[in-house]
């Protein structure tokens, strides 16, 4: 029942331009967003749903049409209205577009599309290269520069660099390019050596900060010139697990179990710990919004639970033969559907499990489908 409703939400969101963020045609959700449409389209590939896959192709084409001169892919497109980000640009929009384009080409074996997109994919990679700033291999994101656009992480962010690894990896397969494969391997190594404690004698980005950082059972959220943000970033870690990065999964799953005990449920927070008004980072939150402030404790990016990233977490854990936690997560999500309605809300508050944000969101519908694979 819930699977059919999730598919209905997504299929009703597909327009001539591509996959819109929501089937509710309101505000800025009636647009083709790079990250939303690419994740939804990749979900379509994984479940072999041709309607969604066709929507992915349209989305890739629409976004490519509006690629900026420097190679940047728009955050979102509505007709001829194009946004690359309001307060700052979105690093992950460009990376997700490369991933979505390459995953589509591999699945559909679309040789014409492959040839047509080659120059645009090269240009997108060139843009990401300039965002390294120091030519050392990791991409740098400004505050608010990715999906968590009203949150506090910035600098060399785990999430953005894990995505770039995926982009290199997929493009290397599509174009049978040894140099891209080499860059994929280098990026993976950089992440494993700079976002967790490692015994490897490696070149660290910030040796002084690395020595002071605390060992955690997960990859740290980000690195900046002033040191590490050791927060737990569920999105970055979920994708890292899915893509096979080296992490002690026994310690990682134990950490997830402890989070469940602390919060009392399996709708885990997307960032942890929560930022409260008395915390030093609150000043980075309180003015970082465009329309209204959403990041009250336990809400939105500030500890809200996002089904899309729980979906990637479940898929990644199952891929690595850890089936127990994914089953508990999907069972908990379905229980919420029964109690509070299956409207595929953007997120749930983690203190009271209140369905919050936009309803009928493709993000959340495909999160559920990922949990069920």
């Amino acid at each position: 029942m819930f699977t059919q409703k999730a598919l209905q939400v997504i299929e009703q969101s597909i327009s001539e331009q591509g996959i819109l963020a929501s089937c509710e045609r309101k505000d800025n959700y009636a647009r083709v967003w790079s990250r939303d449409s690419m994740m939804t389209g990749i979900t379509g590939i994984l479940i072999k749903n041709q309607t969604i896959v066709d929507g992915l192709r349209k989305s890739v084409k629409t976004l490519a049409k509006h690629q900026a001169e420097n190679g940047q892919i728009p955050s979102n497109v509505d007709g001829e209205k194009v946004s690359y980000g309001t307060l700052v640009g979105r690093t992950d929009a460009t990376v997700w577009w490369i991933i979505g384009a390459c995953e589509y080409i591999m699945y559909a074996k679309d040789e014409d599309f492959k040839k047509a997109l080659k120059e645009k994919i090269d240009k997108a990679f060139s843009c990401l290269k300039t965002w390294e700033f120091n030519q050392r291999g990791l991409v740098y994101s400004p505050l608010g520069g990715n999906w968590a656009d009203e949150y506090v992480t910035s600098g060399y962010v785990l999430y953005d660099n894990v995505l770039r690894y995926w982009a290199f990896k997929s493009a290397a397969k599509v174009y049978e390019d040894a140099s891209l494969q080499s860059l994929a391997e280098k990026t993976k190594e950089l992440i494993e050596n700079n976002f967790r404690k490692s015994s490897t004698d490696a070149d660290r980005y910030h040796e002084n900060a690395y020595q002071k950082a605390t060992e955690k059972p997960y990859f740290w959220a980000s690195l900046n010139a002033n040191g590490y943000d050791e927060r737990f970033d569920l999105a970055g870690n979920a994708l890292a697990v899915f893509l096979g990065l080296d992490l002690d999964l026994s310690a990682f799953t134990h950490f997830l179990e402890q989070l469940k005990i602390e919060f009392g449920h399996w709708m885990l927070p997307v960032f942890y710990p929560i930022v409260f008004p008395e915390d030093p980072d609150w000043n980075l939150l309180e003015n970082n919004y465009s329309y209204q402030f959403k990041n009250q404790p336990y809400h939105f990016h500030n500890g809200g639970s996002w089904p899309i990233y729980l979906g990637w977490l479940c898929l990644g854990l199952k891929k690595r033969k850890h089936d127990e936690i994914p089953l508990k997560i999907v069972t908990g999500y379905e229980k919420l559907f029964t109690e509070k309605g299956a409207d595929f809300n953007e997120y749930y508050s983690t203190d009271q499990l209140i369905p919050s944000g936009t309803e009928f969101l493709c993000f959340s519908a495909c999160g559920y489908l990922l949990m069920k694979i």
Side-chain angles (χ1 to χ4, degrees):
M1 180 179 70
F2 299 134
T3 297
Q4 283 308 117
K5 189 158 186 181
L7 288 170
Q8 186 179 32
V9 165
I10 294 170
E11 289 172 3
Q12 288 179 354
S13 302
I14 299 173
S15 71
E16 284 306 306
Q17 283 202 302
I19 305 169
L20 308 180
S22 171
C23 62
E24 293 277 279
R25 304 294 203 269
K26 65 174 188 177
D27 300 333
N28 60 352
Y29 290 90
R31 302 180 183 185
V32 177
W33 288 76
S34 178
R35 75 179 73 88
D36 297 56
S37 61
M38 297 303 107
M39 279 197 245
T40 305
I42 292 165
T43 302
I45 288 172
L46 291 169
I47 64 173
K48 296 180 170 58
N49 181 298
Q50 194 57 44
T51 302
I52 300 174
V53 173
D54 290 343
L56 173 60
R57 190 184 196 280
K58 291 177 184 175
S59 303
V60 170
K61 191 174 179 180
T62 293
L63 292 160
K65 178 184 173 185
H66 297 285
Q67 184 175 36
E69 189 178 342
N70 70 343
Q72 185 175 1
I73 295 295
S75 172
N76 61 82
V77 173
D78 175 16
E80 293 304 310
K81 295 178 191 171
V82 182
S83 173
Y84 300 91
T86 305
L87 298 178
V88 296
R90 305 287 183 249
T91 310
D92 61 336
T94 299
V95 198
W96 270 119
W97 177 82
I98 297 171
I99 296 165
C102 291
E103 293 296 326
Y104 169 78
I105 291 165
M106 281 191 282
Y107 178 79
K109 299 179 175 56
D110 191 331
E111 288 298 316
D112 290 338
F113 212 46
K114 174 181 171 179
K115 290 173 188 172
L117 289 181
K118 177 67 166 65
E119 185 178 345
K120 288 184 175 291
I121 288 172
D122 287 345
K123 203 171 176 183
F125 273 126
S126 176
C127 175
L128 293 170
K129 179 65 177 172
T130 67
W131 291 344
E132 288 179 15
F133 293 114
N134 60 6
Q135 304 300 307
R136 291 181 65 188
L138 292 176
V139 70
Y140 190 97
S141 301
L143 187 72
N146 60 26
W147 86 273
D149 53 351
E150 297 180 9
Y151 197 58
V152 303
T153 48
S154 68
Y156 302 103
V157 177
L158 172 70
Y159 165 87
D160 296 312
N161 282 286
V162 169
L163 285 178
R164 194 176 181 214
Y165 163 62
W166 188 358
F168 280 137
K169 191 164 172 263
S170 292
K173 283 183 187 173
V174 168
Y175 293 102
E176 299 176 335
D177 189 319
S179 64
L180 287 174
Q181 182 57 38
S182 176
L183 286 167
E185 291 163 8
K186 180 189 175 186
T187 303
K188 182 174 183 285
E189 186 178 329
L190 281 169
I191 294 166
E192 291 170 345
N193 288 333
N194 283 280
F195 287 90
R196 49 147 206 181
K197 287 293 184 179
S198 168
S199 58
T200 308
D201 184 18
D203 177 29
R204 315 284 182 205
Y205 255 60
H206 196 334
E207 186 65 46
N208 185 42
Y210 182 85
Q211 294 305 325
K212 293 177 181 177
T214 309
E215 186 165 1
K216 299 288 185 184
Y218 52 78
F219 290 108
W220 301 309
S222 63
L223 162 66
N224 224 316
N226 64 346
Y228 278 93
D229 182 338
E230 298 181 21
R231 246 177 287 263
F232 173 60
D233 168 7
L234 188 146
N237 277 276
L239 290 164
V241 170
F242 172 68
L243 293 167
L245 273 75
D246 187 20
L247 190 65
D248 181 345
L249 287 184
S250 175
F252 180 68
T253 52
H254 178 70
F255 168 74
L256 298 179
E257 295 272 5
Q258 294 302 117
L259 268 188
K260 184 267 174 185
I261 292 168
E262 180 176 338
F263 284 84
H265 54 75
W266 277 105
M267 298 301 289
L268 304 176
V270 75
F271 285 104
Y272 174 86
I274 313 296
V275 181
F276 292 96
E278 61 270 21
D279 294 330
D281 280 343
W282 185 260
N283 71 314
L284 296 177
L285 273 181
E286 60 183 347
N287 291 315
N288 185 14
Y289 64 91
S290 296
Y291 303 104
Q292 64 187 66
F293 183 69
K294 302 175 186 175
N295 272 317
Q296 295 293 346
Y298 305 102
H299 284 263
F300 206 49
H301 303 130
N302 189 19
S305 181
W306 291 67
I308 176 59
Y309 294 116
L310 288 175
W312 284 114
L313 176 66
C314 290
L315 191 61
L317 287 173
K318 283 187 282 188
K319 188 177 179 184
R320 309 268 293 258
K321 310 301 181 189
H322 286 260
D323 296 332
E324 190 176 332
I325 287 176
L327 180 59
K328 291 175 179 176
I329 289 172
V330 74
T331 301
Y333 193 25
E334 289 176 339
K335 183 171 181 283
L336 279 179
F337 285 161
T338 303
E339 293 173 354
K340 302 185 178 183
D343 293 332
F344 295 99
N345 288 79
E346 195 168 15
Y347 74 94
Y348 288 80
S349 65
T350 47
D351 54 350
Q352 299 179 57
L353 291 177
I354 298 169
S356 303
T358 301
E359 295 179 344
F360 305 112
L361 205 68
C362 284
F363 239 22
S364 299
C366 69
Y368 176 69
L369 295 175
L370 291 171
M371 292 177 196
K372 297 293 284 186
I373 293 173

